[in-house]
Amino acid sequence: MYGEGRAVCLGSDIDTDVIIAGRYLRTKDRSLWAEHVLEDLDPALAGRLAGAVVVAGKNMGCGSSREQAVIALKEAGVVGIVAPSFARIFFRNAINIGLPVIEADLPCTDGALVRFDLNEGWVEVDGARFPARPLSPRMVDILAAGGLVGYWRSHR
Amino acid sequence: MSTLAERILGAAEGAYVDRAVDIAFAHDGTGVLTRETLREMGVEKLACPERVHLIFDHIVPANTSMTANLQKELREYASSAGLAFSDVGGGICHQVMSEGVVLPGQIVVGADSHTCTLGAFGAFATGVGATDMAAIWASGSTWFRVPETIELSLTGHLQGAAEPKDLALAYVGRLGMDGASYRALEFTGEAAADISMAGRLTLCNMAVETGAKTGMFYADTTTVRYLAGCGIAADRQKREEAKYAQSHEFDLGAITPLVAVPHRVDTVREVAEVAGIPLDQVFVGTCTNGRFEDLQRFARIVRGKKVAVRTIVVPASRAVLQAAAQSGALADIVEAGCVVGTPGCGPCLGAHTGVLGEGEVCLSTANRNFKNRMGVGGEIYLSSVATAAASALSGTITEPEVV
């Protein structure tokens, strides 16, 4: 599974509260989540996520199990997230929602061209290639199906 | 020669396994998305509705028409699908599950990150998202990667005013917010036996704050006796020698009252270092510290005195509220000038009651102090119940006294 986009750099330990605050969860309106994504970190970030690859520091997505955090990022246009490590529920949620997540340790410059290939297990930043930790075959299958709902429909 | 996680999941660390789950629960927050996903999946009939619990705890009672409508839809779904249902006021999902539902050796999944709390019973209990939960409700099973385990070996005895919560803050501080990512924590050592079920629930609750999948205690005499009190016969789990990814020793005798300072759970200081910081609010409750033992301790400290700052006390469940009422602890709490909220999560997640204003400071017995969690521009310090009680009485962060 291949993807590419311009880098948006975030720090370490980005928690799910800061991705989408509790005050926005009482709705099913996904566009509202996208509008307010990462607002408490920087209100300007939401507008920069269309077509972006988020390059985060360690422990990306720590905190709550709220899947709205992943949905908000995906709805805002994020095409993949690269981080040296993810909080495990966030990692699993991202795969279930069909948003590629890749474990790799990268230097980050905002706007750099980031390309990734999950099957071959690499990430490139402006042409420089870095190794990425491979996903399990089932995770790749779920992502390839666009998420767990698609995977479920094709396997039942 | 296995860790508790390996024994329950039936495979060695690192393996991917598919397992039937014994209990699968969601709350009003995650339940809405779970229901929505089931619809998208085209699933009408659940595999094992008798194993599914739906518990309203996050915004109870509903605060807006939108919340009320979402809850109405979920309530109707619980009834039509035949789920075990706990309506507003029943309590926090993890607490309700700890009152005679979860048993040693079970595989428990909850659509809430603090599901790790229930590892206190020697169960493999872990949090998942709503989409995972929908697939679990639909199929009755899910996949797990069997985690490596970090041992937290406990020796000695808690001294003075120190509580299991202080030990929880100490281990989160030592391991760090991602120190146990993808792993399980196992609490071992001679001192583990001395810790009450309430204390174990507090300790396992904060496992996820280190990134861990779960925190676990072996079911022992304390567990068996606690479950007998719930009318359930359970067996002890015999401990085996196991291979741990890491081992950390904690001398309980050296644990002092601690606080996590804004905005990180792993930035932990001695209470003495931050004493005197003025407070706008004290909050006692949550799945970390809203149990009867906690309310009793709080009541004992504030009895016959008046709190100096607005103080919100929220019992973790109806059973906790009833026990507090019957014991007289509730009367002491109310007479001290505290506000008592509906059993549930209360202000912890910043979605309804008890939200902080800009620049306001709260001392909370909860598990998270992330930026803006309890209101935009607010600051959250995390502490034990005794520290919260002493601080409520003085209006500033205050070292607890031995009671």
Side-chain angles (χ1 to χ4, degrees):
Chain A
M1 175 175 265
Y2 173 83
E4 66 173 56
R6 293 287 165 184
V8 169
C9 309
L10 301 181
S12 294
D13 302 307
I14 300 294
D15 64 72
T16 49
D17 277 76
V18 93
I19 298 173
I20 188 71
R23 60 188 181 277
Y24 297 120
L25 296 182
R26 304 303 123 191
T27 175
K28 294 185 203 170
D29 182 357
R30 293 168 184 233
S31 62
L32 184 95
W33 300 333
E35 193 184 321
H36 294 285
V37 68
L38 291 164
E39 174 182 281
D40 288 345
L41 192 64
D42 175 359
L45 275 169
R48 294 173 46 212
L49 296 179
V53 174
V54 166
V55 181
K58 70 181 177 66
N59 201 26
M60 173 63 185
C62 58
S64 160
S65 69
R66 65 182 68 159
E67 208 158 288
Q68 291 92 336
V70 174
I71 297 171
L73 290 165
K74 195 179 179 199
E75 286 286 316
V78 171
V79 298
I81 309 175
V82 189
S85 65
F86 290 83
R88 52 161 291 278
I89 304 177
F90 182 91
F91 188 77
R92 197 163 160 149
N93 283 346
I95 289 162
N96 288 340
I97 293 296
L99 178 60
V101 275
I102 311 115
E103 285 185 288
D105 204 348
L106 306 179
C108 189
T109 310
D110 276 311
L113 179 65
V114 181
R115 303 167 65 232
F116 59 83
D117 191 304
L118 294 183
N119 301 89
E120 293 180 14
W122 53 260
V123 184
E124 278 181 7
V125 184
D126 285 339
R129 189 169 285 207
F130 297 85
R133 190 171 164 182
L135 300 179
S136 76
R138 175 151 20 170
M139 290 178 194
V140 175
D141 286 349
I142 295 170
L143 277 174
L148 194 57
V149 171
Y151 181 82
W152 172 275
R153 285 174 170 273
S154 60
H155 283 73
R156 294 272 160 169
Chain B
M1 293 289 281
S2 304
T3 64
L4 201 41
E6 288 174 324
R7 272 161 66 177
I8 295 171
L9 293 175
E13 61 176 42
Y16 286 88
V17 296
D18 283 287
R19 292 289 177 263
V21 305
D22 295 295
I23 297 170
F25 64 88
H27 51 64
D28 49 316
T30 50
V32 172
L33 212 47
T34 304
R35 169 75 189 110
E36 203 71 355
T37 306
L38 282 166
R39 234 186 238 122
E40 282 175 38
M41 289 163 64
V43 172
E44 290 297 328
K45 202 171 163 354
L46 303 189
C48 314
E50 69 283 1
R51 295 182 189 173
V52 175
H53 295 248
L54 187 61
I55 300 142
F56 282 7
D57 59 7
H58 268 50
I59 299 188
V60 288
N63 60 338
T64 63
S65 298
M66 185 185 279
T67 310
N69 286 332
L70 292 173
Q71 291 187 0
K72 177 171 178 274
E73 188 187 333
L74 260 188
R75 190 178 285 115
E76 285 165 4
Y77 178 69
S79 169
S80 66
L83 314 184
F85 178 61
S86 171
D87 210 329
V88 297
I92 307 172
C93 53
H94 314 301
Q95 179 63 23
V96 172
M97 292 291 111
S98 78
E99 293 170 355
V101 181
V102 168
L103 304 177
Q106 285 184 330
I107 295 176
V108 179
V109 287
D112 187 281
S113 60
H114 290 109
T115 304
C116 52
T117 309
L118 296 157
F121 289 97
F124 185 84
T126 194
V128 296
T131 298
D132 257 336
M133 188 52 75
I136 292 164
W137 286 7
S139 67
S141 66
T142 192
W143 63 271
F144 298 97
R145 180 182 172 279
V146 182
E148 294 82 12
T149 296
I150 296 177
E151 178 187 36
L152 303 186
S153 171
L154 312 181
T155 62
H157 300 278
L158 288 171
Q159 303 289 331
E163 294 176 15
K165 175 61 169 286
D166 297 304
L167 173 59
L169 292 170
Y171 86 68
V172 173
R174 195 190 298 182
L175 267 58
M177 271 168 65
D178 67 340
S181 287
Y182 307 109
R183 292 169 168 174
L185 303 182
E186 205 174 272
F187 294 91
T188 68
E190 73 223 23
D194 296 342
I195 298 176
S196 68
M197 278 315 301
R200 294 176 191 197
L201 289 159
T202 300
L203 284 163
C204 292
N205 175 267
M206 292 196 69
V208 71
E209 309 312 331
T210 66
K213 227 171 217 180
T214 190
M216 308 175 83
F217 272 80
Y218 279 80
D220 61 7
T221 314
T222 300
T223 325
V224 170
R225 205 176 290 142
Y226 174 94
L227 288 169
C230 302
I232 294 163
D235 292 326
R236 294 168 48 189
Q237 289 162 325
K238 199 162 169 289
R239 192 163 168 240
E240 293 175 8
E241 287 303 310
K243 181 172 122 314
Y244 296 109
Q246 289 172 29
S247 240
H248 295 265
E249 194 168 303
F250 286 85
D251 172 9
L252 272 54
I255 298 291
T256 52
L258 299 171
V259 288
V261 303
H263 301 286
R264 290 179 64 101
V265 192
D266 61 354
T267 309
V268 175
R269 306 266 180 266
E270 303 265 344
V271 176
E273 287 177 64
V274 289
I277 291 177
L279 298 171
D280 299 288
Q281 178 167 301
V282 171
F283 169 41
V284 176
T286 78
C287 52
T288 322
N289 276 122
R291 284 172 266 283
F292 177 51
E293 195 174 293
D294 299 315
L295 265 55
Q296 258 187 321
R297 189 180 299 117
F298 181 80
R300 227 170 18 236
I301 299 169
V302 301
R303 181 180 299 151
K305 299 173 181 160
K306 292 285 176 198
V307 294
V309 63
R310 70 172 188 265
T311 301
I312 303 171
V313 178
V314 181
S317 73
R318 178 176 287 118
V320 170
L321 176 60
Q322 280 172 335
Q326 282 159 10
S327 70
L330 191 62
D332 292 332
I333 291 167
V334 172
E335 277 160 27
C338 305
V339 177
V340 177
T342 308
C345 303
C348 176
L349 66 155
H352 61 145
T353 60
V355 170
L356 303 174
E358 180 87 34
E360 285 197 320
V361 180
C362 178
L363 185 71
S364 165
T365 64
N367 42 42
R368 284 192 181 136
N369 59 352
F370 297 149
K371 191 182 175 196
N372 291 356
R373 180 168 167 92
M374 270 173 73
V376 179
E379 293 203 330
I380 310 164
Y381 290 80
L382 305 175
S383 80
S384 73
V385 169
T387 301
S391 303
L393 291 174
S394 71
T396 63
I397 296 180
T398 300
E399 286 187 84
E401 289 171 23
V402 181
V403 180

